[in-house]
Amino acid sequence: AMLIAALICCLLLLATATVHYESLRALSSLLPALPITGRHRVLAGILGAFVAHMLEIALYALAYYLLRDHFDLGNFGGHFANKFSTFMYFSAETFTAVGFGDIYPAGSLRMVCGVEALNGLLLVGWSASFTYLAMQRYWNVIERD
């Protein structure tokens, strides 16, 4: 069971890094071409990064669903409702390392959760770096809207 969880972790890391890379690459190409002010380009970049993070969170939520229901690699305790929105909620709180504790993993799913938290921190940091560079490039303080 741990070997399957480790393999899934590797696949999720590869998938989320690819989603993030391609999203930020697309934003880098798209933002300069948008017919909006520089400050609005920064906001568009933040929105694009947010969408990328939501896709990444959804990948982990889908993995939790599959690992629990089809691979029997663990379960969830606490206030867990058997709906995809609950998987999304749990994934979002894990990805952001918030970890409210109202839902908790059991079994080999714990390993995936630990990897998701580290992966999320790295990807959020990457988005922060991207946003900083976009602000340097587009945020003209002299500009008046």
Side-chain angles (χ1 to χ4, degrees):
M2 271 306 208
L3 185 59
I4 293 171
L7 179 62
I8 295 298
C9 287
C10 291
L11 291 173
L12 285 166
L13 288 169
L14 185 62
T16 55
T18 300
V19 165
H20 214 71
Y21 173 82
E22 292 300 335
S23 297
L24 295 183
R25 192 173 73 76
L27 284 168
S28 292
S29 298
L30 179 67
L31 290 177
L34 291 176
I36 56 177
T37 64
R39 291 176 14 187
H40 290 112
R41 284 189 183 112
V42 173
L43 291 174
I46 290 171
L47 179 61
F50 182 83
V51 170
H53 287 294
M54 290 307 296
L55 287 170
E56 294 149 10
I57 287 167
L59 285 173
Y60 274 97
L62 180 62
Y64 292 135
Y65 166 75
L66 292 173
L67 292 173
R68 186 193 75 149
D69 290 356
H70 298 289
F71 290 91
D72 198 29
L73 287 184
N75 210 338
F76 293 97
H79 300 292
F80 187 85
N82 197 18
K83 299 185 288 188
F84 192 72
S85 61
T86 307
F87 287 100
M88 283 292 291
Y89 164 76
F90 176 76
S91 181
E93 75 173 1
T94 304
F95 188 89
T96 58
V98 171
F100 290 126
D102 56 336
I103 298 171
Y104 53 89
S108 297
L109 287 176
R110 293 177 302 162
M111 179 181 185
V112 180
C113 295
V115 168
E116 182 182 12
L118 179 56
N119 186 228
L121 287 171
L122 290 170
L123 295 178
V124 167
W126 193 357
S127 291
S129 174
F130 177 83
T131 302
Y132 176 77
L133 293 173
M135 287 176 69
Q136 277 191 320
R137 184 172 181 188
Y138 300 119
W139 198 321
N140 183 353
V141 179
I142 308 289
E143 180 181 280
R144 299 285 179 236
D145 293 335

